[in-house]
Amino acid sequence: MERTLSIIKPDGVAKGLIGEVIKRFESHGLKVAALKMISMNKKQAEGFYDVHRQKSFFNSLTDFMSSGPCVVLILEGEGAIEKNRQLMGATDYTKADPGTIRADFASSIEQNIVHGSDGPETARYEIGYFFNALEIVR
Ligand code: ATP
Ligand code: MG
């Protein structure tokens, strides 16, 4: 069984979409293996998005990610990483497939409701960034 890290970003929480997003995961065969609400400070958001440190949007992105509470989840299932990415839709919501979370709810390329790990390595790093062994259901 594969695991991936998902975040319902501050815009998703502010728009009242926690239940809607989790319903989409659960109804497409992804099981919640861990879940909590957190509020990242700027440094914590910078650490999480460290791979994007050189990008032009890094400062704005980390301001956004530290602007309010997020829900972080571990999703588990066969092909969980790819399945989650499909449910999310493309980064740019105007290019996301109809019926995806971003197509349905995002308001800009930055404020796009959800994060999902993009590969096995990243998933491992990102899960360890937020969760310790005691917090993960086995
Ligand atoms: P995420 O990593 O959040 O799941 P992603 O993998 O689809 O999203 P990345 O390229 O990793 O996209 O970018 C991380 C996040 O940075 C995006 O989800 C979005 O919030 C923001 N972002 C990406 N590109 C831009 C951009 N051109 N302008 C502003 N923000 C951007
Ligand atoms: Mg990414």
Side-chain angles (χ1 to χ4, degrees), residues 24 27 89 126:
R24 290 181 182 215
S27 63
E126 292 178 352

Side-chain angles (χ1 to χ4, degrees), residues 42-97:
K42 178 84 169 165
K43 279 269 170 302
Q44 292 164 333
E46 287 173 351
F48 178 70
Y49 275 123
D50 194 54
V51 291
H52 293 310
R53 203 167 278 275
Q54 303 310 323
K55 305 268 172 66
S56 58
F57 56 80
F58 182 72
N59 189 45
S60 172
L61 171 62
T62 52
D63 273 347
F64 164 54
M65 291 300 287
S66 58
S67 68
C70 291
V71 173
V72 288
L73 315 85
I74 300 174
L75 300 174
E76 191 174 74
E78 215 169 292
I81 294 171
E82 185 50 34
K83 191 175 276 183
N84 181 38
R85 298 286 307 188
Q86 279 169 10
L87 294 172
M88 289 161 57
T91 311
D92 179 353
Y93 74 107
T94 65
K95 301 194 175 102
D97 288 340

Side-chain angles (χ1 to χ4, degrees), residues 109-136:
I109 192 166
E110 178 180 271
Q111 308 217 353
N112 58 6
I113 312 289
V114 277
H115 161 84
S117 308
D118 60 11
E121 285 284 292
T122 350
R124 243 188 315 277
Y125 170 79
E126 292 178 352
I127 286 170
Y129 195 79
F130 293 113
F131 294 98
N132 66 45
L134 286 175
E135 295 172 311
I136 304 172

